[in-house]
Amino acid sequence: MDVIFLGVNDIGFRIYEWLCQRDRVEMIAMLTEQNQLDLIQKQEPDLVVSIGFSYLVPPEILDVPSEGALNLHPSFLPYNRGMNPNVWPLIEGTPAGVTLHYMDTKFDTGDIIAQRKVETDFSDTGKDLHERLEEAQFDLLTEVWPEIEDGEIERTPQGDRAESYHSKADFIDLCELDPQNEVRIKAFLDRLRALTFPPFDNAYIEIDGEKYYVDIDIRKAVNESEDKNDGLLSSY
């Protein structure tokens, strides 16, 4: 099976290396830029696999591979199509997960091949969930791949199921904290932990002309029966 890979992120490179070791896969190229897509028309691969490729692939390119074009998206589609799918489940309470699906003319709307939910916890940051989603992506793709090689995969249309989509602009807006806003504590903590992704600076607030970055660390109590006063400073 001749394959062209579209990818730019860490898990994309990891899966690319795994596919290169498959006896039944001939990896023709890895493309990372939109202006490289014409190579697909020239090479006419059997399959295109996309992981972390942020550009919309035009229909004339999607029509080339005889076995179609697949995308591995780190969300439980149809929830959280688009950008930063590790952020929104922590804020909106939507299911987190990963989905392998066929690509079509829109972002993350094609027929589903397989998907898996990923659990979340109130102590999770955006980075925590991102790392868990990456592992789930690898597990799902490597589990399903033999069926892809054998041509035994089934497809399930997403249809008119409830959906959510987020753009890069949505994420940028989320990062700015307005010092004049009144907030509910739980919702605000959800926002801060979703934006916590060291070493990157995401959430910020401007006070008296100065810009401050904000991260958060939420830890689950190890022993809920321990003395509630442990760790408090004594005044005497």
Side-chain angles (χ1 to χ4, degrees):
M1 177 183 289
D2 292 336
V3 177
I4 286 183
F5 194 91
L6 311 180
V8 292
N9 60 14
D10 291 342
I11 190 60
F13 284 116
R14 181 181 173 191
I15 292 176
Y16 172 81
E17 292 176 350
W18 183 85
L19 289 175
C20 287
Q21 299 173 8
R22 300 288 295 180
D23 293 336
R24 297 170 63 183
V25 172
E26 181 68 31
M27 193 65 71
I28 299 175
M30 170 186 273
L31 311 182
T32 60
E33 299 295 336
Q34 190 175 29
N35 60 13
Q36 298 171 326
L37 289 175
D38 60 350
L39 183 65
I40 295 174
Q41 292 176 310
K42 296 176 182 177
Q43 295 294 329
E44 298 184 346
D46 300 312
L47 185 69
V48 167
V49 177
S50 171
I51 305 175
F53 193 74
S54 58
Y55 304 100
L56 196 63
V57 180
E60 62 269 21
I61 301 296
L62 296 176
D63 289 340
V64 172
S66 58
E67 300 300 319
L70 310 183
N71 181 55
L72 184 57
H73 186 63
S75 83
F76 194 76
L77 294 176
Y79 299 101
N80 301 313
R81 294 167 174 158
M83 302 294 289
N84 305 103
N86 64 305
V87 166
W88 307 106
L90 303 182
I91 294 175
E92 300 175 344
T94 50
V98 297
T99 304
L100 181 64
H101 67 96
Y102 281 96
M103 300 171 69
D104 59 15
T105 57
K106 299 180 181 179
F107 282 118
D108 310 319
T109 58
D111 293 351
I112 292 172
I113 298 169
Q115 57 185 168
R116 177 176 298 174
K117 283 188 176 181
V118 172
E119 295 300 318
T120 63
D121 184 84
F122 182 64
S123 64
D124 284 337
T125 64
K127 184 174 185 177
D128 294 331
L129 183 54
H130 171 79
E131 292 174 348
R132 205 173 302 136
L133 291 171
E134 283 197 327
E135 289 303 315
Q137 283 180 282
F138 185 83
D139 292 344
L140 182 66
L141 189 284
T142 55
E143 178 182 300
V144 174
W145 188 260
E147 299 175 17
I148 296 173
E149 290 182 339
D150 294 336
E152 297 177 350
I153 54 177
E154 299 181 357
R155 49 198 302 166
T156 302
Q158 294 190 43
D160 297 326
R161 295 160 58 190
E163 64 180 71
S164 56
Y165 173 86
H166 299 94
S167 66
K168 184 177 180 179
D170 293 332
F171 179 78
I172 292 173
D173 290 342
L174 191 68
C175 291
E176 183 176 4
L177 307 177
D178 187 343
Q180 303 303 319
N181 277 358
E182 294 184 2
V183 298
R184 292 185 177 274
I185 293 297
K186 172 64 165 56
F188 188 59
L189 292 177
D190 288 341
R191 181 177 179 180
L192 291 182
R193 65 192 181 94
L195 292 172
T196 296
F197 201 121
F200 299 104
D201 294 321
N202 291 324
Y204 69 91
I205 188 169
E206 293 188 1
I207 304 293
D208 297 329
E210 296 288 342
K211 187 174 184 178
Y212 300 88
Y213 289 106
V214 182
D215 296 319
I216 195 170
D217 179 20
I218 298 176
R219 299 176 304 282
K220 184 179 292 186
V222 176
N223 184 355
E224 294 185 0
S225 64
E226 62 190 3
D227 186 351
K228 301 301 182 181
N229 291 324
D230 283 355
L232 295 181
L233 291 176
S234 175
S235 59
Y236 54 89

